[in-house]
Amino acid sequence: MIAASLGVFQAMLLAAHLLSIDRGNRLANQLFALMLIGLSIRIGKSVFNYYLVIEPWQRNIGLAGLLLVGPSFWLYGKTISQKLSTLSKRELFSFAPAVVYALFCWLIPNDRGVTAHLSYTLVMSQWAIYLYLSMKLTSQINRVLTLDAGAWYRKIFIGLCVVWSYYFLVFIGVVPYYLGGAVIYSMMICGLTVLFLNRQHFSTNKYLQTKLSSQQSKDTMTRIELAMIENQLYLDSGLTVAKVAAHLNVSARQVSRAINENGGFGFAAFVKQHRLDHAKRLLSDPNYRRSKIAAIATDSGFGNVASFNSAFASEENITPSEYRKRRIESIE
């Protein structure tokens, strides 16, 4: 039980730290912190219930916390992969079940009755649905972010799946040790903290000698984007960070930092997205309807048609040929 208590305490400290960070993607940090808070409320309920007799409404607060976990993690994935800075009303509505559950916690049964059983089933089902949606995000995250960021998200996803699976097995009566979920959660938090500190250490050392303010970083990113659009640097199949830096007359570290801090992904993913956007414009142009896909791939900066087809299919879920057919038919 001490281990579980330490896990909750450590998670809340990590959440507080994330909420205090004023650089990078603040929305992503806030959503990740909210996920940790939701889990901590749920596990904290188990800790209190071990030492004290708590009321049914207090147990329901724990379930309300659980309803925060799924949407927070899913939206965290969307935020880091799609570079979101705000959430739409529809996305904010994802938190409505948690709010409703918390507001009416004293009216919802929390005993061994049928209604309470159904209520817990719905809570676990909601979490499972968001885990499925998060799983579908992993391929997108791997495509647009660095391998390090993709692995980070995947490890968190696996940890949440383990915690969900344990509570599900307890729910159906396969596992009798209810507090085991709290211990597993504590182990997960320890692992996440180590991973988080490693990521922070990597970022700190990577840019240690690059003295760049937040505004300078944004200005550099603007210059990079302009160079990509106006000079079409991405058409160079051998484009490197050093080449972009030389074009802008800045350091390579400054270019890397600007892209990572303001784009939320690595240089390779950044350039690939520009190349894909260029290819889509060519595929949508009736003047290129008879051009070979290999030629369009080369004209868009891809080194070979295989890498182009793979990147295109990952983003659009259809082949370049099918994309061109649909686009030109819609125009005509």
Side-chain angles (χ1 to χ4, degrees):
M1 208 61 234
I2 295 177
S5 302
L6 289 175
V8 172
F9 179 71
Q10 187 173 354
M12 295 304 290
L13 286 179
L14 182 55
H17 175 67
L18 286 164
L19 292 174
S20 68
I21 296 175
D22 59 357
R23 56 185 171 82
N25 192 326
R26 295 193 65 184
L27 177 61
N29 292 335
Q30 291 165 355
L31 288 168
F32 190 71
L34 190 60
M35 181 201 77
L36 290 174
I37 292 171
L39 275 171
S40 297
I41 291 173
R42 173 65 182 85
I43 303 302
K45 185 272 296 183
S46 298
V47 173
F48 280 110
N49 198 36
Y50 180 81
Y51 293 109
L52 305 169
V53 177
I54 62 177
E55 299 295 325
W57 70 268
Q58 294 170 321
R59 294 196 293 270
N60 283 334
I61 290 294
L63 293 180
L66 204 58
L67 287 168
L68 286 175
V69 178
S72 297
F73 183 63
W74 173 62
L75 290 172
Y76 171 71
K78 289 190 66 175
T79 299
I80 62 175
S81 62
Q82 300 176 19
K83 302 178 290 181
L84 302 179
S85 58
T86 57
L87 297 178
S88 66
K89 290 182 179 180
R90 183 177 181 180
E91 289 165 337
L92 287 172
F93 188 74
S94 302
F95 297 109
V99 175
V100 171
Y101 213 98
L103 290 176
F104 296 96
C105 59
W106 70 89
L107 296 177
I108 302 172
N110 194 307
D111 48 29
R112 298 183 181 276
V114 175
T115 303
H117 188 86
L118 176 61
S119 175
Y120 193 79
T121 300
L122 292 175
V123 171
M124 292 296 291
S125 298
Q126 184 253 26
W127 191 5
I129 289 171
Y130 279 106
L131 284 176
Y132 172 73
L133 294 174
S134 300
M135 180 183 68
K136 294 180 66 176
L137 271 179
T138 54
S139 60
Q140 180 180 351
I141 290 172
N142 289 331
R143 185 171 67 248
V144 302
L145 300 180
T146 62
L147 291 176
D148 176 65
W152 160 256
Y153 188 80
R154 187 168 58 253
K155 288 173 182 177
I156 302 171
F157 170 74
I158 292 172
L160 290 177
C161 286
V162 171
V163 175
W164 183 92
S165 299
Y166 188 90
Y167 278 121
F168 177 75
L169 292 175
V170 171
F171 178 56
I172 62 177
V174 174
V175 176
Y177 304 106
Y178 179 77
L179 291 177
V183 176
I184 292 174
Y185 171 67
S186 295
M187 294 171 62
M188 171 185 166
I189 291 301
C190 289
L192 285 182
T193 302
V194 171
L195 289 173
F196 178 78
L197 291 176
N198 285 339
R199 282 169 58 83
Q200 293 291 94
H201 177 73
F202 171 77
S203 299
T204 300
N205 283 281
K206 183 176 180 181
Y207 302 118
L208 186 60
Q209 298 177 2
T210 307
K211 295 182 179 180
L212 199 65
S213 68
S214 177
Q215 187 58 49
Q216 288 174 320
S217 177
K218 291 178 181 178
D219 292 342
T220 301
M221 186 63 180
T222 300
R223 293 181 62 198
I224 294 170
E225 287 283 9
L226 285 174
M228 286 291 174
I229 296 171
E230 295 179 354
N231 302 103
Q232 297 185 317
L233 299 182
Y234 55 85
L235 296 183
D236 177 5
S237 60
L239 187 66
T240 62
V241 175
K243 288 183 178 180
V244 175
H247 181 85
L248 299 176
N249 195 28
V250 297
S251 70
R253 286 180 177 272
Q254 188 169 334
V255 171
S256 294
R257 179 171 179 176
I259 292 174
N260 277 273
E261 287 187 346
N262 299 283
F265 41 66
F267 177 77
F270 173 73
V271 174
K272 181 173 68 174
Q273 189 59 56
H274 276 283
R275 289 170 176 165
L276 284 172
D277 291 341
H278 184 86
K280 290 176 190 177
R281 289 193 292 271
L282 296 183
L283 291 169
S284 303
D285 189 339
N287 295 324
Y288 287 84
R289 71 170 68 198
R290 302 204 179 276
S291 297
K292 293 183 177 180
I293 297 300
I296 288 179
T298 303
D299 291 345
S300 301
F302 286 90
N304 57 73
V305 69
S307 62
F308 169 61
N309 286 334
S310 175
F312 197 93
S314 295
E315 176 159 309
E316 296 295 331
N317 293 320
I318 57 174
T319 65
S321 299
E322 182 63 25
Y323 180 88
R324 175 165 59 185
K325 180 180 178 182
R326 293 183 184 181
R327 292 292 297 171
I328 293 180
E329 285 180 351
S330 67
I331 294 173
E332 296 178 343

